[in-house]
Structures are given as C-alpha cells and as structure tokens.
Amino acid sequence: LEQLLEDDGCAVACRKIEFDESQSFEALVLPVVSAALKPGDSLLLDITGGFRDIILYLTLLCRIFTYRGIQIEQAVYSNLNPPRILDATHLLQMFDLVGGMQELISFGSVRTLRTYYARQKPNPAIDELLASVEYLKECMDLCRTQKLTYGMERFNRALLAASESADSMLQILLPVFRSKFGDHVDALQLIRWCVESEMLQQALTIYNELVPELIYGTGKLVYSTW
C-alpha cells in the first residue's frame, strides 16, 4: 500500500497494527488507533476484504471517531467482478440517520439529522420537518406555551408532508417516530414525551398552561384518554 501511494506521488508512512483474532479488539487495537488521531482529523476508509467481523470493528471505530469530532471523508470498497472501486460512504452515513432519529425521539434534537441531510439532495419537506421540530423544541425548552399551539400545528403539517417524501430510509424510520408522538401531536402527547424524556419542568409548565383550557375551554368538562 505504501509503495502504491508513493507511485501516485503521496509521501506517507503506513503504520501496521498487529491484531490476533484471539486478542481483545477493544483493549489492544482501539486505544492505539484512537491515540493516533485527534479531533479535526479526516479519514479515508478502505473496507475491502478481511474476516467477516472486520466490518463490525470498522463500524465501531467510525462511530467512536464521529463522537470525537473525527470526520470520515470517504469509504471505498474494491470489487473483483467487474474490477472497480465502489464508493461506500453512503452506507456509513446511514448510521448517522439512524442515530439522528434516536436523538430526535429521545431529546428532540435534530443536529445529527441536519448534518446527515446536508450531504443529501435538497428536500424541502424534510427541511421543514426538521425546522418545525426545532421550533417546537425551542418553545418547550423556553416554556413559551403561548406559541405551542402554532408549533404543534406546524409540526403536524410537516410530518404529513414528510410521510409523502420519496426518501426510502425516512419512510422506514417514520413509523418509529410515530410510535412516540402519534400521527397528530397534541398537548397531552407533548406532556407524555416530556415526562418520558425526564423534562419534568417543561411537562409541568405545559400541563399548567394548556390542560385547563382543554378541560374547560368549551365551557364543558372534557375527558380524553391518553
């Protein structure tokens, strides 16, 4: 590999890390690789060949590097039939999509999803969904209950539009999202989500500000099951 790089005019030094299958990858290899990199570094990854579990180790490394601020610029795979080098970067980026959905469901954050979709083709429906989540989360964090009604309406419209998106991975993950929020977000679902996410102050504020209106707003006692 070092000779091939030199033939292409790249002056690099390759470092070989010995690894025996009977040894612990986490204890022996991971610390050595991590020590050689620092936040801000970029990696080019070749995932060709190796034992069947090698790709799992590489995936583990990539996830750890991402959390440390080390960017995976590109991943490639060498194919023999026909002989060519394939770009596999999008496969690693899908882990960002899955992690971003988990981050959204658990904490209401769209930071990872924003990073993922910034690398994809522009999609107004997804952009509006992420923007509506940010607006709704900001209203909850700052206890701006007077803006929650608009925030929920905007989010519900955006969720409906996103459900019609051609993004196949998003369509697979949206049902998971709906299992948390339902097809139509309302005040009671927000309170439940805040409690499950340990956002108790926000849950109490929304309850105090919005639930009395739900019960007495029409002049009649209204009962709704969760």
Side-chain angles (χ1 to χ4, degrees):
L1 176 59
E2 195 167 3
Q3 184 60 50
L4 289 173
L5 292 172
E6 288 180 359
D7 292 343
D8 283 339
C10 299
V12 298
C14 294
R15 180 178 180 182
K16 184 177 181 180
I17 300 176
E18 298 291 343
F19 174 58
D20 189 288
E21 285 292 307
S22 62
Q23 297 175 320
S24 170
F25 179 85
E26 297 88 342
L28 297 177
V29 178
L30 188 56
V32 175
V33 177
S34 297
L37 298 168
K38 61 182 182 301
D41 286 345
S42 298
L43 289 181
L44 301 175
L45 193 64
D46 184 352
I47 59 175
T48 306
F51 294 104
R52 293 180 181 179
D53 57 353
I54 288 298
I55 187 60
L56 297 178
Y57 288 138
L58 288 176
T59 302
L60 172 63
L61 283 172
C62 290
R63 301 312 298 165
I64 293 175
F65 291 155
T66 298
Y67 294 136
R68 290 187 56 200
I70 299 169
Q71 182 69 32
I72 310 297
E73 291 292 343
Q74 189 176 23
V76 297
Y77 176 82
S78 299
N79 194 16
L80 293 178
N81 189 21
R84 56 179 177 171
I85 296 178
L86 302 176
D87 190 344
T89 311
H90 66 285
L91 297 176
L92 291 178
Q93 291 175 348
M94 285 184 181
F95 286 97
D96 292 334
L97 176 60
V98 176
M101 288 298 292
Q102 181 60 51
E103 187 179 83
L104 172 61
I105 292 172
S106 300
F107 309 108
S109 173
V110 298
R111 181 177 59 181
T112 300
L113 287 176
R114 282 247 183 243
T115 301
Y116 173 80
Y117 280 108
R119 298 188 292 254
Q120 312 303 315
K121 293 181 179 179
N123 189 319
I126 295 177
D127 289 342
E128 172 58 19
L129 176 62
L130 299 182
S132 68
V133 172
E134 286 178 322
Y135 181 88
L136 190 58
K137 181 63 163 52
E138 181 181 287
C139 290
M140 290 189 292
D141 287 343
L142 301 178
C143 297
R144 294 175 175 172
T145 53
Q146 72 277 10
K147 296 185 177 181
L148 277 177
T149 299
Y150 167 75
M152 289 185 289
E153 292 174 352
R154 179 183 178 184
F155 172 78
N156 287 327
R157 290 195 301 268
L159 184 61
L160 178 61
S163 67
E164 300 171 356
S165 169
D167 190 311
S168 57
M169 281 297 293
L170 184 64
Q171 296 308 317
I172 293 174
L173 294 171
L174 272 180
V176 181
F177 185 74
R178 287 197 179 96
S179 69
K180 193 75 172 181
F181 292 98
D183 292 320
H184 187 86
V185 174
D186 57 23
L188 298 181
Q189 288 172 321
L190 282 185
I191 294 171
R192 177 191 294 170
W193 180 79
C194 287
V195 171
E196 293 175 350
S197 301
E198 299 183 359
M199 299 167 60
L200 300 183
Q201 178 182 352
Q202 288 83 352
L204 286 172
T205 301
I206 297 173
Y207 180 88
N208 290 333
E209 295 291 333
L210 298 186
V211 170
E213 183 178 350
L214 292 176
I215 297 176
Y216 300 107
T218 60
K220 299 179 181 179
L221 185 64
V222 178
Y223 175 76
S224 176
T225 60
W226 284 24

